[in-house]
Amino acid sequence: MAGSFEEIVFSRRSIRRFDPEVKITKTEMEQMIDEAVTAPSAFNLQPWRFVVVTSDEGKKTIDTLIQLNQIQNETSAAMVIVVGDLDAERNIDAIYDTAEQKGFMSSEVAERQKKMVHHTYECEYTAKNKEINARHDPSYAAMQLMQVARCHGYDT
């Protein structure tokens, strides 16, 4: 379901009970997550991880963790758990090296960014800063995933 920005954003609703007959293929779920991770994050570190639960056994495992969302868990095609990474800085070099390899930035810019981000994490970042990034940035990715799912014709 492609649509205008307004249609996608303003037609999204918080669904309490899903049609259990609806299934999402692994390929489409991966595509939606790939689209969702274009969300912004501090220093582009993308401190999020996605866990996709589709099996009845997996859903039973998480049922006690999701408190008031058991009906959604039972009826959804998938439950996507988005978690924050408190050690995202360990990926600094890989992220900027990949950006350089893909042509998103020059080697000079990549090296400058790596140096600046390493310095920030080593000298200025406290555990509290890391916790804030590991909470806020995954929230942006989760919200983007909800909008992406809507664009694909799914409710969340």
Side-chain angles (χ1 to χ4, degrees), residues 86-124:
L86 289 169
D87 296 315
E89 74 273 9
R90 73 181 178 289
N91 300 316
I92 292 169
D93 292 338
I95 287 169
Y96 288 102
D97 289 345
T98 299
E100 178 188 345
Q101 290 165 2
K102 290 184 175 183
F104 297 147
M105 61 180 62
S106 68
S107 60
E108 294 80 20
V109 171
E111 288 305 314
R112 186 174 62 241
Q113 287 295 107
K114 287 193 290 190
K115 184 177 179 182
M116 184 269 301
V117 176
H118 276 297
H119 174 78
T120 300
Y121 267 88
E122 291 165 7
C123 301
E124 299 173 25

Side-chain angles (χ1 to χ4, degrees), residues 34-48 50 132-145:
D34 285 346
E35 293 168 5
V37 299
T38 63
S41 63
F43 304 115
N44 199 33
L45 293 185
Q46 302 177 344
W48 47 63
F50 292 81
I132 288 168
N133 283 354
R135 186 180 316 122
H136 289 183
D137 289 352
S139 296
Y140 306 143
M143 187 66 215
Q144 185 132 319
L145 179 61

Side-chain angles (χ1 to χ4, degrees), residues 51-99:
V51 179
V52 180
V53 181
T54 57
S55 71
D56 290 338
E57 181 181 305
K59 287 181 178 186
K60 282 182 183 166
T61 300
I62 65 170
D63 198 54
T64 58
L65 304 174
I66 56 176
Q67 298 178 350
L68 302 176
N69 295 310
Q70 278 85 13
I71 300 280
Q72 292 94 321
N73 188 37
E74 289 171 21
T75 60
S76 67
M79 290 295 280
V80 181
I81 303 164
V82 184
V83 295
D85 182 354
L86 289 169
D87 296 315
E89 74 273 9
R90 73 181 178 289
N91 300 316
I92 292 169
D93 292 338
I95 287 169
Y96 288 102
D97 289 345
T98 299

